[in-house]
Amino acid sequence: RQSAISRRDGIKQILTRSTTAILTPILTASTVLPTQPAIAYTPDPDPLRESLYLMSRVQEATVQQERFVQRASQQEILKTKMKLTLRLVEKNYRLLDQITYASEFITP
């Protein structure tokens, strides 16, 4: 019984030392080095171009989903994945808002 306790203490000491050895350089580097912003998507200053870009992204997502449907083997997996994807596309690209905005530029 006593060897089990010392074994636990030994494991705790090893984990504590390992965690400290790993985290100390990371924490030190993050406080010393200046952070740089990620190079990511920046919106277009022209709102119409931005709206058209987002609509094209929805079109790309739709093409990907069509490919997925063609390769899917089980309908339940397909149904679940499609629901999730459609919700994410609607949320991320605000398709209805983009169509409404872009339609303001169409002359009757």
Side-chain angles (χ1 to χ4, degrees):
R1 189 87 172 134
Q2 201 170 33
S3 64
I5 294 172
S6 64
R7 193 176 304 150
R8 273 191 202 138
D9 291 339
I11 291 172
K12 284 181 184 178
Q13 288 176 356
I14 290 170
L15 290 176
T16 304
R17 278 189 237 139
S18 298
T19 305
T20 304
I22 292 170
L23 289 180
T24 301
I26 293 172
L27 294 174
T28 305
S30 66
T31 56
V32 173
L33 298 175
T35 58
Q36 296 180 353
I39 299 174
Y41 167 74
T42 54
D44 196 303
D46 179 11
L48 179 59
R49 288 181 68 156
E50 177 67 16
S51 183
L52 293 172
Y53 170 75
L54 292 173
M55 285 190 277
S56 72
R57 293 293 305 229
V58 171
Q59 184 182 14
E60 290 174 21
T62 304
V63 170
Q64 287 179 352
Q65 284 306 303
E66 287 174 358
R67 280 191 226 126
F68 177 73
V69 167
Q70 290 171 355
R71 291 183 303 192
S73 59
Q74 296 178 354
Q75 289 298 316
E76 277 304 311
I77 294 173
L78 176 65
K79 185 178 177 181
T80 307
K81 175 118 173 133
M82 289 294 285
K83 282 183 179 181
L84 173 65
T85 303
L86 290 173
R87 271 187 267 131
L88 289 174
V89 165
E90 172 59 31
K91 181 180 177 183
N92 291 335
Y93 298 118
R94 302 178 327 272
L95 182 59
L96 188 57
D97 294 342
Q98 305 310 324
I99 292 171
T100 304
Y101 179 77
S103 67
E104 294 174 4
F105 293 89
I106 298 174
T107 56

